[in-house]
Amino acid sequence: MSLDVSPQLLADAEKGEVREAEFVETVHTSLPYAYDLIASLVGELHAGSAEIADNQTPPPDEQARGQLLRALASDAIRGALQRHFGVRLAFQNCHRVAVFPQDPSVDDRLARFTSIRGQLLNQSPELRDC
């Protein structure tokens, strides 16, 4: 799944002048499921008392799953979203997105979530081919 890049943004990139806010808006319009899920988790994180916000619900369809994979597998997209929302993102399997504050007090929790053990404990037969 590719981003739907406007001709103007592409021209700016060819000149070397890209504003991150325009890139994030392109991500938002091109990958709305992924963007909205992350935005929702950020809202949960800021509204609650939990140290992380975590999505454990599989996407509704393969297009949505593809959006998550595209957003979180791309260093540029993932980094821009982290800076935009002021959080750290973590990803397991093909749908489990977690949002962590940038506060170092949750570094241990982030390390556990992204560990080999964390990945193995998050396996299930339903997610085998996702």
Side-chain angles (χ1 to χ4, degrees), residues 18-56:
V18 177
R19 292 195 320 262
E20 188 164 271
E22 290 180 24
F23 179 68
V24 169
E25 184 55 32
T26 297
V27 171
H28 185 190
T29 58
S30 299
L31 308 173
Y33 175 81
Y35 183 95
D36 292 345
L37 176 61
I38 292 167
S40 171
L41 291 171
V42 170
E44 286 179 31
L45 180 68
H46 294 312
S49 60
E51 63 181 15
I52 72 165
D54 183 10
N55 172 60
Q56 296 188 31

Side-chain angles (χ1 to χ4, degrees), residues 31-113:
L31 308 173
Y33 175 81
Y35 183 95
D36 292 345
L37 176 61
I38 292 167
S40 171
L41 291 171
V42 170
E44 286 179 31
L45 180 68
H46 294 312
S49 60
E51 63 181 15
I52 72 165
D54 183 10
N55 172 60
Q56 296 188 31
T57 304
D61 54 40
E62 289 307 307
Q63 181 181 13
R65 185 181 318 281
Q67 287 186 31
L68 280 179
L69 292 171
R70 177 75 172 110
L72 295 162
S74 165
D75 291 338
I77 295 172
R78 184 184 195 145
L81 290 173
Q82 289 181 134
R83 290 185 295 278
H84 175 72
F85 288 112
V87 297
R88 294 182 286 179
L89 299 172
F91 190 54
Q92 285 184 352
N93 292 336
C94 50
H95 74 273
R96 190 169 181 200
V97 180
V99 175
F100 292 80
Q102 292 180 341
D103 185 338
S105 69
V106 298
D107 285 354
D108 287 342
R109 178 73 172 98
L110 175 62
R112 283 192 307 274
F113 185 90

